[in-house]
Amino acid sequence: MNRALNGEGGQEPRWLSDEEQRVWRSYLHATTLLEDHLDRQLQRDAGMPHIYYGLLVQLSQAPRRRKRMTELAIDAKITRSRLSHAIARLEKNGWVRREDCPSDKRGQNAVLTDAGFGVLQRTAPGHVEAVRQAMFDRLTPEQVKQLGDIMHVMAEGLQPQDTGADLPWLR
């Protein structure tokens, strides 16, 4: 941010140092490039964006390959509206189906179909290779551990512990 900008109430904001600014911009640049790289690989190999692949992975790891839609939205960190749109697209491909939740008549489960599991099995090796080439092959084992530790600390600090938090995936 520009150091000439004033914060509210006349208090001077805690501006980023030059080093923090460099790290922040590098982080933004790298994460944007990584997400684009993974999206392009998955579009090329399976005709789906990265977010859809993540939904299929979550369903593949759930008991009986099914998960309540609200839980899926929370785990994917996306709004229920965006999830509903994604599931509709995955249903159109025959990779997922919805079913009523037996324990709650208002709820629905997303279920990974055999066709969806098949596309996941075919796509996973190329996706893992894309992740490995873009990220892990470029880091030393020590850097991998450090990055994991850093991301864990950041995620814990950003995930509110109270159940009343106003988060998009809880709406």
Side-chain angles (χ1 to χ4, degrees):
M1 294 299 276
N2 184 339
R3 293 181 194 277
L5 298 175
N6 287 327
E8 292 203 17
Q11 281 189 326
E12 183 68 20
R14 291 181 13 173
W15 297 111
L16 300 179
S17 69
D18 290 343
E19 178 64 7
E20 290 167 334
Q21 188 69 253
R22 183 192 68 76
V23 169
W24 174 242
R25 289 182 179 169
S26 293
Y27 169 82
L28 290 176
H29 189 73
T31 56
T32 299
L33 289 172
L34 179 60
E35 188 62 32
D36 177 68
H37 175 73
L38 297 177
D39 254 352
R40 283 185 288 119
Q41 177 269 319
L42 287 165
Q43 286 289 356
R44 182 187 65 239
D45 292 357
M48 76 173 102
H50 191 216
I51 188 75
Y52 291 12
Y53 179 84
L55 295 172
L56 295 181
V57 167
Q58 284 197 45
L59 290 173
S60 76
Q61 295 172 343
R64 297 179 27 214
R65 298 193 312 208
R66 64 185 23 84
K67 193 175 246 192
R68 193 174 161 96
M69 293 281 283
T70 52
E71 294 290 318
L72 195 54
I74 290 168
D75 292 345
K77 305 294 186 260
I78 60 175
T79 64
R80 285 184 248 182
S81 172
R82 186 171 180 202
L83 175 66
S84 185
H85 176 74
I87 294 297
R89 294 279 309 274
L90 293 168
E91 280 181 305
K92 187 176 175 185
N93 290 341
W95 298 342
V96 170
R97 74 173 187 278
R98 292 181 218 220
E99 63 182 29
D100 290 333
C101 180
S103 63
D104 178 1
K105 297 303 177 201
R106 296 178 305 154
Q108 283 193 317
N109 289 325
V111 182
L112 181 65
T113 65
D114 289 342
F117 190 71
V119 79
L120 194 57
Q121 285 181 309
R122 289 187 300 277
T123 306
H127 182 64
V128 168
E129 187 57 30
V131 169
R132 185 167 294 291
Q133 287 176 350
M135 190 170 176
F136 295 106
D137 288 351
R138 299 171 187 275
L139 302 175
T140 66
E142 182 178 316
Q143 289 172 320
V144 169
K145 182 183 179 334
Q146 289 170 344
L147 182 60
D149 292 345
I150 290 165
M151 293 295 106
H152 179 78
V153 168
M154 287 177 62
E156 275 199 346
L158 292 168
Q159 182 66 50
Q161 299 303 316
D162 69 44
T163 56
D166 184 28
L167 300 170
W169 48 88
L170 296 178
R171 291 186 207 138

